[in-house]
Amino acid sequence: RVCLAAPHGPEASRLLGAIARLDDPCAGHVLVDGVRVDRLSFADLYGCVQLVAPSIPLLRGTIEDNVRYAAKNDAAVERALALCGLDAKSDVAAAGRSLRVGDRGTNLSPGLAARVRLARALAVEPEILLVDDPAFETSPEAAAALARALQSMPMTFIGVLAPEASGVRFDRDWEISPRGLRDEARARPGVAATRAERVAVRLVPSS
């Protein structure tokens, strides 16, 4: 689990966008498990990498429609809804998972919209989850959903989040500075490494 910070601007968001290939870098390459992302088909990449951010719009339809959009299977949908607290009517609204989502999700609170985006990403069962949404710092329900997901699903996680606000226990810190990317392990005595702690993403500068 990687905490990504860029104190001097939007570079962190741009980096996550480059990993998800919303935008290709002007120099250098991004590698996922040793493979350049620009050599992967979009279907293969999006089956492996999911980005949760307000810039990724929600779709018109119900909450469940959004979660099913690119889901791996029905079981993945049910698990994602449960992890994000969207399966119980009392937690969402009287309509529950059938709650209608307006254009780009503007009728939802930021915290609820973040949970729907997270559930949609989790239903794909990605190997790498990228999160760049301040709602996971300000909404207790969204933060709890993210914590449940990270505890339940084995995946690499990179988040533009403040650890103190989000409650996520990060394993590494990435900080973008004018000198490049600083990568530093967080000390966690007595805790063995897990698959989720092995970062599968590499950034290769241009030669």
Side-chain angles (χ1 to χ4, degrees):
R1 300 173 189 170
V2 179
C3 178
L4 178 60
H8 305 294
E11 293 89 351
S13 298
R14 291 173 181 167
L15 176 56
L16 293 194
I19 296 171
R21 233 195 138 194
L22 299 182
D23 191 18
D24 288 330
C26 58
H29 309 291
V30 178
L31 277 67
V32 172
D33 282 339
V35 179
R36 282 174 47 173
V37 296
D38 58 349
R39 292 181 177 174
L40 293 171
S41 69
F42 283 106
D44 287 342
L45 179 63
Y46 293 144
C48 172
V49 179
Q50 285 290 307
L51 172 63
V52 178
S55 58
I56 309 298
L58 293 175
L59 308 174
R60 289 183 179 178
T62 65
I63 285 178
E64 185 172 355
D65 290 337
N66 273 270
V67 177
R68 285 190 178 277
Y69 176 68
K72 194 170 185 179
N73 50 47
D74 289 345
V77 171
E78 295 303 320
R79 177 167 69 166
L81 288 167
L83 287 173
C84 295
L86 300 172
D87 56 339
K89 290 186 178 182
S90 60
D91 185 54
V92 181
R97 65 174 70 190
S98 299
L99 178 69
R100 300 293 299 182
V101 178
D103 186 36
R104 302 180 70 86
T106 53
N107 64 314
L108 307 182
S109 68
L112 179 53
R115 282 192 285 157
V116 176
R117 290 189 185 94
L118 177 61
R120 183 172 61 185
L122 296 178
V124 179
E125 297 187 345
E127 295 181 25
I128 300 171
L129 178 66
L130 312 174
V131 170
D132 183 12
D133 190 333
F136 290 101
E137 299 174 342
T138 59
S139 165
E141 294 81 9
L146 180 59
R148 286 192 297 268
L150 295 177
Q151 185 175 17
S152 303
M153 299 180 67
M155 56 190 171
T156 292
F157 172 70
I158 305 176
V160 185
L161 300 169
E164 298 77 11
S166 66
V168 174
R169 294 187 65 184
F170 289 98
D171 306 301
R172 305 193 71 83
D173 287 305
W174 283 2
E175 182 175 345
I176 301 174
S177 71
R179 295 183 178 182
L181 185 71
R182 180 181 64 84
D183 179 9
E184 183 174 303
R186 282 179 174 248
R188 292 176 59 188
V191 179
T194 65
R195 179 188 168 195
E197 294 172 293
R198 302 186 191 120
V199 180
V201 177
R202 288 183 60 218
L203 311 175
V204 180
S206 58
S207 55

